[in-house]
């Protein structure tokens, strides 16, 4: 009887070892079926940049609301504008075996290692709002967001048209976004491309304001002290522009008149400033990407083909359009 019991135990043990050895490895596991959720829902890990602006707050709300509406379990992380926090969040998502990872990169470079880890784990990655500069495009499935170069070009085109027919020098100060980020790099490049054909345009100062209102004000104060004759402010986002407007007014100048103000994003506060003639033009950058993101997440999790790049529709708003458009702004 004892020998028979031992044989049964041995057989059971061998069976359990065999089962463990034939478990599907993470690198080839399917991405469907809600690996990270006990209720079988698709699980999306989303690593947000932070909450540095009104635009970013609206973007986060859009993602949260869309996930709930789509029946997707959202694991959310706020990186507080630090790349190391985003990398840590992505590695946590990998450990949690989420179905899809999406993130808006703080900066463009330095992502290959962690994205390879996600790829090896069989978890598809979607870039939202901001791109990465990796040469290995297999590390992510698609990009969802805006064409930042085009936004900079649109800002520059407006300026060229505004000063058409004049030959007087035009001194420009530029408030850049977070150093090394895709929108900062691309909006700067697009603007420079648009104005380079006319020598009267000169960027006399360019410095980061980190996309925040407080930093925008601080840097604009420094610009005003260093340069007596500033004709134009070009801000990479509305929050920096609004901070700079405070500095301009405190210096006894009239924003929108003494210093023309060009901004990018399109938040409600910027439209109010346009209506009040303090901002001259805003190039729109749509933060309401949630519904499109959830649709893409479902498709990549199911193994479907998706476009490598999905762009949002955006416009250019001047003062004469601001008042009419203001009531319909959702952010």
């Amino acid at each position: 009887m004892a020998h028979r019991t031992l044989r049964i135990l041995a057989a059971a043990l061998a069976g359990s070892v065999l089962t463990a050895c034939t478990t599907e490895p993470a690198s080839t596991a399917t991405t469907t079926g809600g690996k990270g959720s006990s209720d079988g829902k698709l699980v999306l890990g989303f690593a947000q940049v932070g909450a540095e602006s009104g635009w970013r707050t609206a973007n986060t709300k859009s993602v949260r609301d869309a996930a709930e509406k789509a029946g997707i379990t959202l694991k959310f992380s706020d990186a507080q504008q630090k790349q190391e926090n985003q990398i840590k969040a992505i590695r946590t998502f990998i450990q949690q075996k989420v179905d899809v990872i999406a993130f808006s990169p703080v900066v463009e470079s330095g992502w290959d290692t962690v994205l390879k880890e996600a790829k090896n784990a069989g978890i598809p990655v979607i870039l939202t709002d901001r791109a990465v500069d990796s040469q290995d495009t297999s590390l992510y499935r698609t990009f969802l967001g805006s064409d930042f170069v085009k936004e900079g070009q649109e800002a520059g085109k407006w300026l060229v048209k505004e000063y058409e027919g004049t030959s007087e020098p035009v001194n420009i100060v530029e408030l850049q976004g977070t150093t090394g980020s895709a929108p900062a790099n691309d909006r700067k490049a697009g603007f420079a491309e648009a104005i380079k054909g006319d020598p009267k345009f000169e960027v006399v100062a360019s410095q980061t304001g980190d996309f925040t209102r407080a930093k925008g004000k601080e840097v604009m104060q420094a610009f005003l002290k260093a340069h007596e004759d500033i004709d134009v402010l070009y801000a990479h986002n509305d929050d920096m522009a609004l901070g700079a407007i405070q500095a301009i007014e405190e210096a006894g100048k009239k924003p929108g008149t003494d210093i023309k103000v060009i901004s990018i994003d399109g938040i409600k506060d910027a439209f109010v400033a346009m209506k009040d003639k303090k901002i001259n033009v805003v190039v729109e950058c749509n933060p309401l990407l949630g519904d499109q993101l959830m649709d893409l997440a479902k498709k990549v999790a199911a193994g479907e083909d998706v476009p490598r790049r999905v762009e949002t529709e955006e416009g250019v708003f001047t003062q004469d359009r601001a008042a009419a458009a203001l009531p319909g702004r959702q952010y």
Side-chain angles (χ1 to χ4, degrees), residues 16-76:
S16 66
V17 171
L18 179 61
T19 302
C21 290
T22 56
T23 299
E24 185 178 29
S27 60
T28 59
T30 176
T31 57
T32 58
K35 295 191 300 296
S37 175
S38 59
D39 57 12
K41 289 183 178 181
L42 186 146
V43 182
L44 172 65
F46 185 76
Q48 181 61 284
V49 172
E52 75 283 1
S53 64
W55 190 100
R56 188 64 57 189
T57 300
N59 179 243
T60 292
K61 185 177 187 303
S62 175
V63 170
R64 288 187 183 277
D65 290 350
E68 184 176 358
K69 184 171 66 175
I72 290 174
T73 298
L74 181 68
K75 293 184 180 293
F76 184 90

Side-chain angles (χ1 to χ4, degrees), residues 35-36 45 84 88 93 101 103 105-106 108 115 149 151 154 157 174 202 207 227 238 245-246 257 265 298 313:
K35 295 191 300 296
E84 59 266 31
K88 182 179 179 180
F93 295 151
I101 292 172
F103 76 111
V106 175
E108 286 190 288
L115 291 183
V149 174
E151 290 170 355
E154 292 293 342
K157 286 177 184 177
E174 179 180 31
E202 182 182 359
Q207 187 175 325
H227 303 277
D238 293 335
I245 285 170
Q246 294 176 22
T257 303
D265 270 359
K298 289 179 179 179
E313 292 186 7

Side-chain angles (χ1 to χ4, degrees), residues 57-250:
T57 300
N59 179 243
T60 292
K61 185 177 187 303
S62 175
V63 170
R64 288 187 183 277
D65 290 350
E68 184 176 358
K69 184 171 66 175
I72 290 174
T73 298
L74 181 68
K75 293 184 180 293
F76 184 90
S77 174
D78 181 339
Q80 300 179 326
Q81 291 186 278
K82 295 180 180 179
Q83 184 179 31
E84 59 266 31
N85 290 347
Q86 278 194 316
I87 291 173
K88 182 179 179 180
I90 292 169
R91 286 187 169 136
T92 298
F93 295 151
I94 294 170
Q95 291 170 358
Q96 293 172 336
K97 299 181 180 179
V98 301
D99 295 303
V100 181
I101 292 172
F103 76 111
S104 182
V106 175
V107 295
E108 286 190 288
S109 60
W111 300 103
D112 281 32
T113 299
V114 73
L115 291 183
K116 284 176 183 175
E117 292 171 17
K119 182 179 178 181
N120 290 339
I123 302 175
V125 173
I126 299 172
L127 304 178
T128 68
D129 173 44
R130 300 181 179 185
V132 298
D133 62 5
S134 174
Q135 297 301 306
D136 185 356
T137 56
S138 73
L139 297 179
Y140 58 92
R141 289 290 302 279
T142 186
F143 164 85
L144 168 64
S146 305
D147 185 335
F148 298 133
V149 174
K150 183 179 178 182
E151 290 170 355
Q153 289 172 338
E154 292 293 342
K157 286 177 184 177
W158 179 88
L159 184 62
V160 170
K161 187 175 181 180
E162 180 72 7
Y163 283 91
E164 196 173 28
T166 65
S167 57
E168 292 294 317
V170 178
N171 294 327
I172 306 162
V173 293
E174 179 180 31
L175 280 169
Q176 297 181 42
T178 302
T179 302
S181 69
N185 293 342
D186 292 351
R187 288 171 182 170
K188 180 178 179 64
F191 184 78
E193 176 70 23
I195 67 171
K196 72 177 183 180
D198 194 329
K200 69 171 173 277
F201 296 113
E202 182 182 359
V203 178
V204 296
S206 183
Q207 187 175 325
T208 181
D210 271 337
F211 286 127
T212 69
R213 200 169 298 201
K215 191 70 173 177
K217 179 179 180 179
E218 178 187 324
V219 176
M220 190 67 200
Q221 287 172 331
F223 286 164
L224 289 163
K225 289 178 182 178
H227 303 277
E228 291 184 6
D229 189 12
I230 298 173
D231 301 300
V232 177
L233 163 66
Y234 168 46
H236 287 190
N237 85 333
D238 293 335
D239 279 87
M240 290 189 297
L242 292 165
I245 285 170
Q246 294 176 22
I248 293 169
E249 290 178 327
E250 288 174 8

